[in-house]
Amino acid sequence: MKALQDIKLYCGIFGLAALLSSCSSAVFPDITEDEEDTIVSQDEEDSSFIGRKSKKIELSMPEEGESLKSDTQNVAYDKEKQDIPFAAKTKPVKKEELKESKAEAEKALSENANKKAEKAKKIEIPQKPIVAAADFTPAEEENTIPSVSYRLDTFYFANGSSVLDSQYNKQIRNIVKLAKSKKNAIVTVKGFASSRTRNTDPVSHKLANFKVSAARAQSVADALKRYGLSANKIQTEALSDSMPAYQEVMPEGERLNRRVEVYIAY
């Protein structure tokens, strides 16, 4: 086994030596430089054709005032164009022509101004007559829109009754006093009813509640008149049971809905 390994080792060394000797004796060809490649124009008429291995052309930058290389026709055109002075390129304008154009422009402007003036005359803007402060009458002052409105008081009534209890006399006097102290004051009296009536049909039920609510509002309005408030400052409304303030599950809720509310606006 060892002898076989020695034989392999010797064979490897011998092969390596033979390879090195063959490389040392190999002959490589000499490298020679080709002729210098240059880019030249092979045909003067066709500048796009590029040739190789011809005479070397020296490139140089154009001098100041000269253009880049182009064909003969364009060079002649550029030279001819450069020779023409700037004054010859533009058409001179005479003073008479300037005056005429200016006169025409002024005439057009004046015509437009005249047309606009004629249109303005045709359009008539209606103007409201100016009324002096002395022309207002007290009746017109009373019809002005109030800026303040709120509820003054609430009065309650017995079941089915429209008679105002005497316990509210003091409150009535206070309402009259306040309404007289405010300029252009309007007192609104709104009558209400509870939703319960005797066993009647729906139409009779609604009619009964409406009548009692109107009677209650009128009762409070009459009391205001008795204490000195002018009738033209009082307004009454009958709203029946359309706006209940409380639920009528218990008798107390029904009692509180039988009411009159008084509002003031000035």
Side-chain angles (χ1 to χ4, degrees):
M1 190 71 179
K2 186 176 180 182
L4 183 60
Q5 290 179 355
D6 292 340
I7 292 169
K8 288 182 179 181
L9 180 61
Y10 293 145
C11 289
I13 293 171
F14 179 76
L16 181 61
L19 179 62
L20 291 174
S21 63
S22 63
C23 289
S24 62
S25 61
V27 179
F28 294 95
D30 296 333
I31 298 174
T32 59
E33 294 183 357
D34 294 336
E35 295 182 1
E36 186 176 0
D37 294 340
T38 56
I39 301 173
V40 295
S41 60
Q42 198 161 4
D43 192 352
E44 292 181 356
E45 294 180 356
D46 187 6
S47 60
S48 63
F49 180 82
I50 306 299
R52 303 184 62 181
K53 296 185 180 180
S54 62
K55 294 181 180 180
K56 184 177 180 181
I57 296 175
E58 295 182 359
L59 301 177
S60 61
M61 294 298 293
E63 296 180 1
E64 185 177 359
E66 295 182 356
S67 61
L68 295 176
K69 292 183 178 181
S70 60
D71 54 4
T72 308
Q73 184 179 358
N74 289 337
V75 169
Y77 174 76
D78 293 340
K79 187 176 180 181
E80 183 182 355
K81 188 176 180 182
Q82 290 175 2
D83 293 340
I84 299 173
F86 178 76
K89 296 177 184 178
T90 58
K91 184 180 179 182
V93 181
K94 297 180 181 179
K95 292 183 179 179
E96 296 177 355
E97 293 179 357
L98 289 174
K99 289 181 181 179
E100 290 178 359
S101 61
K102 186 177 180 181
E104 291 176 358
E106 291 178 354
K107 184 179 179 181
L109 289 173
S110 62
E111 289 178 356
N112 291 335
N114 293 333
K115 288 180 180 179
K116 290 181 180 179
E118 291 176 359
K119 289 181 180 180
K121 289 180 181 178
K122 292 179 181 179
I123 300 172
E124 296 180 358
I125 301 174
Q127 296 181 355
K128 294 182 179 180
I130 300 173
V131 183
D135 296 337
F136 286 103
T137 59
E140 291 176 346
E141 291 181 356
E142 291 180 359
N143 294 330
T144 56
I145 299 173
S147 58
V148 179
S149 179
Y150 57 94
R151 185 172 64 180
L152 286 174
D153 212 332
T154 303
F155 305 99
Y156 298 99
F157 292 81
N159 188 14
S161 174
S162 59
V163 178
L164 183 64
D165 198 321
S166 59
Q167 64 176 343
Y168 296 118
N169 289 341
K170 184 178 179 180
Q171 294 167 249
I172 294 292
R173 287 196 298 268
N174 292 336
I175 292 172
V176 173
K177 184 178 179 180
L178 178 63
K180 287 183 177 181
S181 65
K182 300 297 181 181
K183 189 177 181 180
N184 304 326
I186 298 296
V187 176
T188 304
V189 182
K190 298 181 180 182
F192 299 90
S194 63
S195 60
R196 291 189 182 183
T197 56
R198 296 178 181 178
N199 294 330
T200 56
D201 58 278
V203 176
S204 301
H205 168 82
K206 290 294 182 182
L207 184 60
N209 284 340
F210 176 78
K211 286 181 178 180
V212 72
S213 65
R216 288 167 180 169
Q218 190 61 43
S219 178
V220 174
D222 292 340
L224 293 172
K225 292 175 187 177
R226 285 195 301 269
Y227 280 93
L229 188 61
S230 178
N232 60 356
K233 292 182 177 294
I234 302 173
Q235 296 177 353
T236 59
E237 295 181 13
L239 299 175
S240 185
D241 59 347
S242 60
M243 298 175 63
Y246 301 91
Q247 294 182 354
E248 297 184 5
V249 178
M250 301 297 290
E252 182 65 12
E254 182 184 353
R255 183 186 72 83
L256 295 175
N257 284 334
R258 300 191 298 264
R259 69 197 189 279
V260 167
E261 296 178 353
V262 180
Y263 294 82
I264 189 170
Y266 52 87

